[in-house]
Amino acid sequence: MSDRSVDVAIIGAGPAGLMLAHLLRREGLSTVTVDSRGEEEIHRTHRAGILEHASVEMLAHEDLGSRVLSEGHRHDGIDLRFDGESHRVDFRELVGESVWLYPQNEVFHDLASAAHHHTMDVRYEVSEAHPLDIDSENPGIRFVESDGSSRVVRARYVVGADGSRSVCRNAIPEHRRTHSSTTYPFAWFGILATAAPSAPELIYARSPRGFALISQRSADVQRMYFQCDPDTDPDAWSDEDIWNELQKRIDGPDHLELKTGPIFEKTVLKFRSFVCDPMRYERLVLAGDAAHTVPPTGAKGLNLALADVRVLAPALASAVRGNSALLDEYSSTALSRVWKAQNFSYWMTGMLHQDPEESTFASARHRGELRSVVDSVHGQAFLAEQYTGWPDIPTTSG
Ligand SMILES: Cc1cc2nc3c(=O)[nH]c(=O)nc-3n(C[C@H](O)[C@H](O)[C@H](O)COP(=O)(O)OP(=O)(O)OC[C@H]3O[C@@H](n4cnc5c(N)ncnc54)[C@H](O)[C@@H]3O)c2cc1C
């Protein structure tokens, strides 16, 4: 017995799930979206911060009421720093594009507030959510509400937007999916601190002590990371040790000095590159981290999640109306971008990080690699084009 019937049932109310629900609303489709976490908890979770221009355009749509253009910060470039010197890569001059600094938790807040405004069916704090009967004409999802009551919602299609530990992905029979992945011998130590910005744009630094990223959040909150061992205990590091380590990784002849302040969040972020192919099985479709994850160095994870649903929404709308040609192309269209992003994220990670076992040859080669980017307008343009994002691929059935 089912409690409701909708066009599309979505598991996961992260950026992929919520944005998809909004795009489908605009197409006139009914949806239900469920998430195991509470709205406040998701809003408090700090993750990505850099939006490609195409992601900004999606968020800036008038019916979302997003603050991305009023409170986000346009960044026209980044600094690549090595041997203690910064080299600016000017995106606007090189490829005519920019990115925006606008934190993922604010993206979520905007999407969740707009879902309330449009009285969309989004249910938080559910448990045991999983897809049902995905190889039938009448699939759905089952979950338990926060008050303990069990629910079944029937749908024409089910979308797994449930993040990197996706239960939806595991609902695809093993022999019908391929997993490709690689791991890295390091992690990121991330901090949030109350401090003034140390630089107007992001600084990606390679040093003999390892990678560091100097990023921002607002006028008085800063986000920074440094490469660490994956088994690092964040609580074993004092604020003073963290600031010293970050400063050492950016030290150089230009005497760039970090602006410090109290650290109020410390986390160790492990990462890997992962792709599930295909991203669709019968009536179940995957989007975002449920299908692929990238190391954060290229700032692609959130942007890929939004790019997926940009392709998926018109495909689902058309399939619900009886034409599944676009949906049949969804996986290959989305994966084409995903593999470009995998390549870029892997390349940036390798170029900027110090492998604990790195030979003198490998270190010198990485510096040569950095020089071949910063010393050449074509090298810089390659980085700028990848970082700011690729145009959408036209579909053959569109
Ligand atoms: C600590 C951290 C830092 C990051 N930093 C960056 C960065 O700097 N730049 C960048 O581009 N990317 C970064 N990422 C990656 C980026 O945050 C993700 O790529 C992005 O969140 C993907 O969006 P999504 O909607 O696919 O998945 P998610 O944001 O993970 O959303 C999935 C949702 O599904 C819910 N869910 C999961 N399982 C279930 C279930 N069984 N039932 C119901 N609900 C479920 C979760 O609660 C979650 O709300 C970071 C990720 C992490 C973890």
Side-chain angles (χ1 to χ4, degrees):
M1 197 187 72
S2 75
D3 301 287
R4 245 207 103 178
S5 183
V6 293
D7 292 315
V8 180
I10 303 168
I11 301 185
L18 273 188
M19 180 59 91
L20 178 65
H22 281 291
L23 297 178
L24 295 177
R25 168 179 56 73
R26 278 183 215 146
E27 297 273 2
L29 268 58
S30 57
T31 59
V32 63
T33 309
V34 300
D35 202 289
S36 50
R37 294 186 294 161
E39 193 173 339
E40 264 309 300
E41 186 188 347
I42 308 179
H43 187 209
R44 278 198 313 269
T45 309
H46 291 272
R47 285 187 166 189
I50 291 290
L51 297 177
E52 294 172 359
H53 53 96
S55 303
V56 172
E57 273 168 38
M58 290 173 89
L59 271 175
H61 191 284
E62 57 189 3
D63 74 0
L64 293 179
S66 169
R67 298 154 298 149
V68 64
L69 294 178
S70 55
E71 293 183 22
H73 298 273
R74 195 182 89 189
H75 284 200
D76 293 339
I78 54 167
D79 270 333
L80 276 186
R81 190 172 173 85
F82 57 100
D83 295 337
E85 286 177 3
S86 283
H87 305 263
R88 182 158 190 265
V89 180
D90 188 326
F91 300 154
R92 223 162 162 78
E93 198 176 287
L94 291 157
V95 294
E97 297 290 0
S98 304
V99 294
W100 268 257
L101 184 86
Y102 189 62
Q104 180 168 338
N105 57 322
E106 300 305 340
V107 171
F108 168 78
H109 186 64
D110 290 348
L111 294 174
S113 305
H116 288 300
H117 176 77
H118 293 286
T119 55
M120 289 158 61
D121 190 348
V122 184
R123 306 186 196 186
Y124 296 99
E125 296 182 67
V126 309
S127 54
E128 298 171 38
H130 59 270
L132 290 176
D133 307 324
I134 50 175
D135 47 10
S136 80
E137 295 281 299
N138 192 27
I141 60 172
R142 185 191 293 279
F143 57 94
V144 177
E145 299 265 19
S146 54
D147 66 4
S149 46
S150 289
R151 297 273 182 250
V152 170
V153 175
R154 291 288 164 189
R156 304 283 299 280
Y157 291 92
V158 173
V159 174
D162 52 344
S164 58
R165 299 202 178 117
S166 175
V167 294
C168 295
R169 184 172 68 230
N170 292 335
I172 302 176
E174 261 182 67
H175 67 281
R176 298 292 294 273
R177 59 184 148 102
T178 305
H179 289 184
S180 309
S181 65
T182 193
T183 53
Y184 300 84
F186 35 74
W188 278 12
F189 194 122
I191 61 158
L192 279 165
T194 309
S198 294
E201 293 173 340
L202 271 65
I203 301 173
Y204 288 81
R206 180 185 168 100
S207 85
R209 301 180 71 88
F211 169 75
L213 173 59
I214 310 305
S215 178
Q216 307 83 20
R217 276 295 178 263
S218 64
D220 47 16
V221 173
Q222 310 309 319
R223 182 77 158 146
M224 300 185 197
Y225 302 91
F226 63 90
Q227 176 189 342
C228 67
D229 185 281
D231 295 324
T232 302
D233 171 9
D235 295 324
W237 282 70
S238 68
D239 283 18
E240 194 187 353
D241 289 345
I242 292 170
W243 286 119
N244 284 341
E245 189 59 40
L246 282 163
Q247 183 61 48
K248 281 180 192 156
R249 293 188 188 202
I250 60 149
D251 270 347
D254 59 357
H255 304 295
L256 176 66
E257 205 171 310
L258 291 177
K259 298 198 166 64
T260 63
I263 294 172
F264 59 89
E265 190 178 297
K266 299 186 247 180
T267 44
V268 169
L269 166 62
K270 296 178 188 173
F271 47 81
R272 68 173 183 147
S273 304
F274 170 81
V275 178
C276 171
D277 184 356
M279 291 170 62
R280 175 188 168 203
Y281 169 74
E282 303 289 350
R283 296 279 173 143
L284 171 69
V285 195
L286 303 178
D289 275 17
H292 41 74
T293 54
V294 285
T297 327
K300 286 283 172 252
L302 169 59
N303 293 297
L304 275 184
L306 296 178
D308 281 354
V309 300
R310 223 161 41 230
V311 179
L312 182 55
L316 281 172
S318 169
V320 165
R321 293 183 188 112
N323 180 356
S324 62
L326 277 179
L327 193 58
D328 292 342
E329 285 182 26
Y330 164 68
S331 184
S332 57
T333 306
L335 285 172
S336 166
R337 173 185 288 265
V338 166
W339 278 110
K340 284 196 232 174
Q342 288 291 359
N343 177 56
F344 177 63
S345 306
Y346 182 87
W347 175 66
M348 283 281 277
T349 303
M351 180 167 70
L352 290 165
H353 288 69
Q354 182 88 22
D355 191 315
E357 308 288 318
E358 194 161 285
S359 64
T360 50
F361 173 84
S363 295
R365 189 191 71 73
H366 280 309
R367 284 211 302 285
E369 194 176 16
L370 280 159
R371 286 242 78 94
S372 61
V373 173
V374 300
D375 290 350
S376 148
V377 72
H378 302 292
Q380 289 186 36
F382 174 77
L383 192 152
E385 185 183 46
Q386 316 286 305
Y387 197 96
T388 55
W390 307 270
D392 286 344
I393 301 164
T395 49
T396 51
S397 319

